[in-house]
Amino acid sequence: MIAFRGQDTGITWSGNDIAYDEGGIRKKLRDLSAPCYVVQGMDGRIGVANGGVIAPNSPYRLLAQAPAMTPAQLGNPDFQTDYRVQYNYTAGAMANAIASEDLVIALGNANLLASFGAAGCVPPRLKAAIDKIKAALPNKPYAFNLIHSPNEEAMEFNAVKMYLENGITVVEASAFLDLTPHVVWYRAAGLSQMPDGSVHIGNRIIAKLSRREVAPLFMKPAPERLLQPLVEQGLITPLQAELAKRVPMADDITCEADSGGHTDNRPLVALLPSILALRDEIQAQYNYAVPLRVGAGGGISTPSSALAAFMMGADYVVTGSVNQASLEAGSSMHTKKVLAQADMADVAMAPAADMFEMGVKVQVLKRGTMFPMRAQRLYELYVAHNSIDEIDPEERAKLEKQVFKRPLEDIWADTVKFFEERDPEQIRRAMDNPKRKMALIFRWYLGLSSRWSNVGEKGRELDYQIWCGPSMGAFNAWAKGTYLEHVENRHAVDIAHHIMTGATFLYRVNALRVQGVSLAPHLTAYVPEKV
């Protein structure tokens, strides 16, 4: 079960309660609150103990040791202090309230940070979420998503306005291609000057991005070109504009690698070191009083992936896809069960509803749904034609029968009604622009397909849009054979606990390994047990 191939330290150890059997060794390895000693007696047997002391002239040789360590020690302790959380772990936003109130509240009550999936929520829905979460977590951590909406600027503006009016002090900004006046407004409006002249940051931003060229936008202070108009409009004070020049746009940068939803499919091992190096360059340039933190998301779903991110220098980790399969997520039970069966290869890229005309894609599940193929066909038709009327009648009939299941005239009527509540400017821009009208009709399908997945719309199972990255398959493989294999047992807090505890356990195993200790594979695996 244990072999030693390291160098003899010449150190002897004294103690008792040494475990030599498989069960005892596993128990002592998993007791992370106590140090771990691998020792060898005069009879040559190698065992593990959690106590004892270094002592001369003892019959036991000390082969290797690992200190006591808790999951809270992984990552940057300042992140825990600033957000009042027990682990450097967050649950990222998933649009259309998939990252639901229940998810945010459950994690918040466990002193863990989660971001409500505000993208796609109309103002009344977002206000209801704010009221519910604030009431449930008056002194606990939570965040709200602020998604860049280049085609629906009013949605981004309304979200920021609502956050400021309701005292939301942490947002997760995602999918930004450039800074907008709205995100700068949110940041600057929360700034004030302390008696000692330092800057107090009242509104924190966690910026989630997957492109190196976007990172400086949030790592550097807000630009004058965006600050001055906000002053002129009376949205921020001249003092706040000046203070904004002394702090970065974001407090934290999440490197979003190969994730579900919006993603550039970047490998984390390439993206994270690059962003960390860029952070260090900008810190040297601006000498911020509080340096930016950099976290890792996209592909984080197992103890191994979490530990890998921390070992590369991540200050915190972010999970996404795995939370969508939790009981607290705002997705239907059908969707959760399909996700629980997914393998790493069961994903594909498909056109995004919010950035359809730009050709932006999202990563979705292809198992059990035809959404990726049907959505891609809509984008091909959009690129090839200038209006609905140009589409071949036979192709149009197929769309109405298989995809929309209704005449396109009816779909347009529903689209007009939808945007009258959400963003009337969208309809005005489409009235004299047939291609834009076609885009809005196609976006009807792209937008509702995720809603169908959330509510479990009967008869639309083959059209469910389920945002998902390969991390879901990795989680399922790790959870197989344990209580977490079954959807009915997947609670978001349990998932967080096991990912972080497992990462800490693997850190211990690796610490012993580099000292020459070789453990049997079944002793090095972290198997989640019911909390």
Side-chain angles (χ1 to χ4, degrees):
M1 289 184 290
I2 304 180
F4 181 69
R5 299 181 177 87
Q7 294 183 342
D8 190 342
T9 62
I11 300 173
T12 55
W13 170 93
S14 178
N16 49 36
D17 195 23
I18 305 170
Y20 295 99
D21 62 294
E22 180 178 318
I25 292 173
R26 180 182 291 109
K27 183 178 180 180
K28 292 188 180 299
L29 287 172
R30 288 187 62 147
D31 186 358
L32 301 173
S33 63
C36 180
Y37 301 99
V38 179
V39 299
Q40 185 176 39
M42 296 289 288
D43 57 3
R45 289 195 305 163
I46 298 176
V48 178
N50 289 137
V53 295
I54 305 299
N57 305 318
S58 171
Y60 292 100
R61 294 167 54 217
L62 178 63
L63 304 181
Q65 59 182 314
M69 185 174 178
T70 67
Q73 290 175 258
L74 292 172
N76 190 328
D78 291 338
F79 185 90
Q80 294 165 262
T81 300
D82 287 348
Y83 295 106
R84 296 172 291 115
V85 294
Q86 66 164 324
Y87 299 152
N88 293 309
Y89 174 105
T90 76
M94 294 173 284
N96 293 335
I98 294 173
S100 66
E101 294 97 327
D102 289 345
L103 180 73
V104 174
I105 291 168
L107 287 164
N109 277 323
N111 295 316
L112 294 171
L113 184 65
S115 178
F116 176 76
C121 294
V122 295
R125 175 70 182 88
L126 180 55
K127 182 62 166 64
I130 290 173
D131 291 343
K132 182 175 180 178
I133 291 172
K134 286 186 67 176
L137 301 173
N139 299 301
K140 297 282 188 175
Y142 60 85
F144 278 78
N145 183 224
L146 175 64
I147 193 165
H148 181 39
S149 304
N151 294 315
E152 296 181 66
E153 187 177 352
M155 290 295 290
E156 189 179 325
F157 170 83
N158 288 333
V160 169
K161 184 173 183 290
M162 194 172 294
Y163 293 157
L164 292 174
E165 290 174 347
N166 288 274
I168 301 303
T169 59
V170 182
V171 301
E172 181 188 43
S174 59
F176 278 81
L177 304 174
D178 197 355
L179 290 182
T180 66
H182 316 307
V183 70
V184 173
W185 175 28
Y186 176 82
R187 181 63 161 179
L191 300 177
S192 60
Q193 191 166 36
M194 301 294 286
D196 63 359
S198 62
V199 182
H200 172 71
I201 299 174
N203 294 336
R204 295 189 177 277
I205 292 179
I206 302 172
K208 187 162 60 177
L209 51 88
S210 57
R211 297 191 176 207
R212 195 176 191 274
E213 62 269 26
V214 175
L217 301 175
F218 287 94
M219 290 182 172
K220 295 180 179 181
E224 177 69 24
R225 63 179 176 83
L226 294 178
L227 289 168
Q228 189 55 40
L230 293 173
V231 174
E232 294 169 359
Q233 296 168 50
L235 296 175
I236 63 173
T237 67
L239 175 60
Q240 287 172 328
E242 288 303 312
L243 295 177
K245 299 173 185 177
R246 295 167 52 189
V247 296
M249 265 299 299
D251 303 275
D252 301 274
I253 303 292
T254 299
C255 296
E256 186 179 23
D258 195 8
S259 65
H262 287 287
T263 181
D264 287 307
N265 306 109
R266 297 288 188 266
L268 187 62
V269 293
L271 179 65
L272 179 58
S274 176
I275 299 297
L276 285 168
L278 182 61
R279 184 271 310 272
D280 293 343
E281 291 176 15
I282 290 177
Q283 174 62 26
Q285 178 183 355
Y286 288 91
N287 194 30
Y288 296 127
V290 180
L292 285 106
R293 292 174 294 253
V294 175
I300 308 298
S301 62
T302 64
S304 296
S305 55
L307 179 61
F310 284 123
M311 291 299 97
M312 281 193 292
D315 291 310
Y316 60 95
V317 294
V318 181
T319 56
S321 298
V322 293
N323 299 314
Q324 189 174 192
S326 71
L327 291 176
E328 295 83 5
S331 46
S332 67
M333 185 55 69
H334 175 94
T335 292
K336 292 171 185 176
K337 289 180 178 178
V338 173
L339 284 166
Q341 298 168 4
D343 204 346
M344 283 186 283
D346 290 336
V347 293
M349 299 301 294
D354 57 343
M355 301 183 188
F356 177 76
E357 298 94 320
M358 300 168 64
V360 174
K361 294 189 175 184
V362 291
Q363 190 159 217
V364 298
L365 190 69
K366 65 181 180 182
R367 183 188 183 100
T369 174
M370 294 185 68
F371 170 79
M373 293 74 77
R374 289 175 173 175
Q376 181 59 33
R377 182 56 182 156
L378 291 180
Y379 183 71
E380 291 169 356
L381 291 170
Y382 171 77
V383 171
H385 301 88
N386 291 314
S387 72
I388 288 289
D389 295 334
E390 288 186 8
I391 299 176
D392 179 77
E394 185 176 339
E395 181 73 43
R396 174 169 175 162
K398 187 186 298 183
L399 289 178
E400 293 180 330
K401 180 180 179 181
Q402 297 179 354
V403 179
F404 294 94
K405 298 187 178 181
R406 290 167 57 198
L408 293 185
E409 290 82 0
D410 292 353
I411 301 300
W412 174 243
D414 282 356
T415 301
V416 171
K417 183 178 179 181
F418 172 77
F419 278 110
E420 282 177 350
E421 177 186 6
R422 181 185 177 103
D423 184 3
E425 180 63 23
Q426 297 293 315
I427 300 302
R428 288 193 288 271
R429 290 167 57 193
M431 294 307 294
D432 297 319
N433 188 335
K435 193 173 182 73
R436 178 152 186 80
K437 178 180 177 180
M438 176 172 56
L440 291 182
I441 290 174
F442 288 173
R443 284 172 58 189
W444 176 94
Y445 173 78
L446 299 176
L448 280 180
S449 56
S450 60
R451 180 182 179 276
W452 294 331
S453 169
N454 292 347
V455 301
E457 186 80 14
K458 297 295 183 183
R460 279 291 192 174
E461 289 84 357
L462 290 180
D463 295 294
Y464 284 5
Q465 179 182 179
I466 304 171
W467 297 307
C468 180
S471 63
M472 190 73 249
F475 178 87
N476 290 335
W478 169 60
K480 189 173 180 61
T482 76
Y483 86 104
L484 287 179
E485 180 178 0
H486 308 289
V487 170
E488 295 78 8
N489 295 327
R490 293 188 178 185
H491 291 279
V493 173
D494 281 9
I495 291 170
H497 167 78
H498 286 304
I499 288 176
M500 292 297 291
T501 302
T504 312
F505 171 78
L506 294 180
Y507 181 91
R508 165 168 285 185
V509 168
N510 287 329
L512 296 176
R513 179 180 291 122
V514 298
Q515 295 174 71
V517 175
S518 179
L519 295 163
H522 57 275
L523 291 175
T524 63
Y526 176 82
V527 179
E529 298 173 354
K530 198 162 187 176
V531 177

